[in-house]
Amino acid sequence: MALTKARYGKGRVRVLRLARDGERHAVRELSLTVLLDGDFGAAWTRGDNRQVVATDSIKNIVNITAARHVEAETEAFVGHVAALFLERYAQVASVSIEALETRWLRRDVDGRPHAHTFTLDGNGQPFVRLVADRQAAVLQSGLRGYTLMKTTQSGWEDFVDDEFRTLPDTGDRICATSMDATWTWTTPPEDPVAANAAVLDTMIAEFATTYSAGVQDSMYRMGEAVLAARPDIAEIGFAMPNKHYIPMNLAAFGIDHGGQVFLPTDEPHGQIEATIGRAG
């Protein structure tokens, strides 16, 4: 039988880098998955491990790279990790790395950012994905589970009206989602922190200031806005599940709350996905 595809690596490699600049510190915490493609087939087909870099060594390489590049932002850091594998091991054809960030926010104390006190940011998890071989690399940045809501200027109307439909049309509803967004760079940004923050600001501004005819409508226009603002982004992909807020029916108690009391639920939820790229 043919071994048609195989790769391996190490998952949930967790590392925190603490850059110290006098009293001012910077915290960068990541959880990485590193996967290797290459000349490893004999380990599957013949029990021959001579070409295999141990997954424990993969973990050690991540940690050694962290010590060598304490201040590198995530986009640059995963590049350093990939470069070490490609330079050191001829049997490695390509490296795929995903790095999820636990984001720590500098805390204000007495109205000023404190040098070494941080609180955990609970909304969304930044991530970076790099796929690199000896000829080229594709770098992506993004967010996982970034939750946003607007309480009006959203509707859902004129959808298929058949024997299975129970939802009524509405021109005014709460629109909320836990968004995964992934953008692909044509060239790595010089300042990825600022660039990624600008992408998020662009998406939120489009979401907030325009009427939404549905999650699909908002998603497409958010993608358009990002591509218009950032010529260094080739495409942007979204997965935006609905977070439903269903108006409570309190008529049995003689209460008409005028659209002010809702049941929060996300099970089951609508799952909406798309990628927006440049024409031609």
Side-chain angles (χ1 to χ4, degrees):
M1 299 296 177
L3 181 69
T4 59
K5 189 174 183 180
R7 65 177 182 172
Y8 80 101
K10 198 76 163 179
R12 292 183 62 81
V13 182
R14 299 182 64 184
V15 61
L16 184 144
R17 291 173 294 146
L18 179 59
R20 303 173 185 267
D21 182 11
E23 291 187 357
R24 185 178 177 85
H25 297 173
V27 174
R28 297 175 176 91
E29 181 177 348
L30 297 174
S31 177
L32 297 97
T33 298
V34 181
L35 295 171
L36 306 181
D37 281 281
D39 183 15
F40 308 114
W44 276 265
T45 60
R46 299 196 299 273
D48 181 348
N49 297 325
R50 286 177 294 174
Q51 292 285 78
V52 176
V53 182
T55 65
D56 188 65
S57 299
I58 294 173
K59 175 206 66 179
N60 293 339
I61 286 169
V62 170
N63 292 335
I64 290 166
T65 306
R68 291 174 176 171
H69 301 281
V70 173
E71 296 188 2
E73 297 299 345
T74 307
E75 285 79 0
F77 177 68
V78 297
H80 292 306
V81 174
L84 196 155
F85 282 103
L86 294 170
E87 291 167 4
R88 175 64 179 81
Y89 301 105
Q91 69 269 39
V92 174
S94 68
V95 185
S96 176
I97 303 172
E98 283 205 17
L100 288 168
E101 180 185 351
T102 298
R103 185 162 50 184
W104 292 95
L105 301 179
R106 192 175 301 280
R107 181 74 179 182
D108 282 357
V109 176
D110 295 330
R112 295 188 300 175
H114 195 266
H116 52 258
T117 302
F118 304 85
T119 55
L120 187 65
D121 181 3
N123 192 11
Q125 192 170 26
F127 86 100
V128 170
R129 178 188 296 126
L130 175 69
V131 178
D133 59 24
R134 290 174 177 79
Q135 284 72 49
V138 177
L139 178 67
Q140 296 177 314
S141 303
L143 287 166
R144 293 287 179 263
Y146 191 88
T147 303
L148 62 164
M149 169 196 287
K150 63 179 181 180
T151 55
T152 189
Q153 290 297 301
S154 172
W156 180 240
E157 301 176 281
D158 298 328
F159 50 97
V160 172
D161 190 1
D162 59 16
E163 69 271 27
F164 303 110
R165 172 176 163 170
T166 58
L167 284 178
D169 283 353
T170 179
D172 189 14
R173 65 171 185 170
I174 292 175
C175 181
T177 183
S178 178
M179 175 182 70
D180 290 353
T182 305
W183 44 96
T184 302
W185 300 101
T186 55
T187 55
E190 290 186 7
D191 184 346
V193 173
N196 291 330
V199 171
L200 179 59
D201 286 346
T202 298
M203 290 190 292
I204 292 177
E206 184 67 24
F207 177 79
T209 60
T210 59
Y211 179 80
S212 172
V215 173
Q216 293 90 333
D217 174 50
S218 286
M219 177 187 292
Y220 182 75
R221 287 185 291 98
M222 290 162 71
E224 278 192 314
V226 169
L227 294 176
R230 302 290 316 196
D232 53 352
I233 291 178
E235 65 178 21
I236 181 167
F238 294 95
M240 293 172 66
N242 278 324
K243 295 177 69 68
H244 298 293
Y245 292 86
I246 301 169
M248 291 279 196
N249 184 354
L250 301 179
F253 307 100
I255 298 174
D256 179 4
H257 55 77
Q260 297 184 101
V261 184
F262 300 85
L263 171 66
T265 180
D266 55 9
E267 296 180 354
H269 62 248
Q271 181 72 19
I272 299 97
E273 299 183 5
T275 300
I276 298 93
R278 300 186 184 277

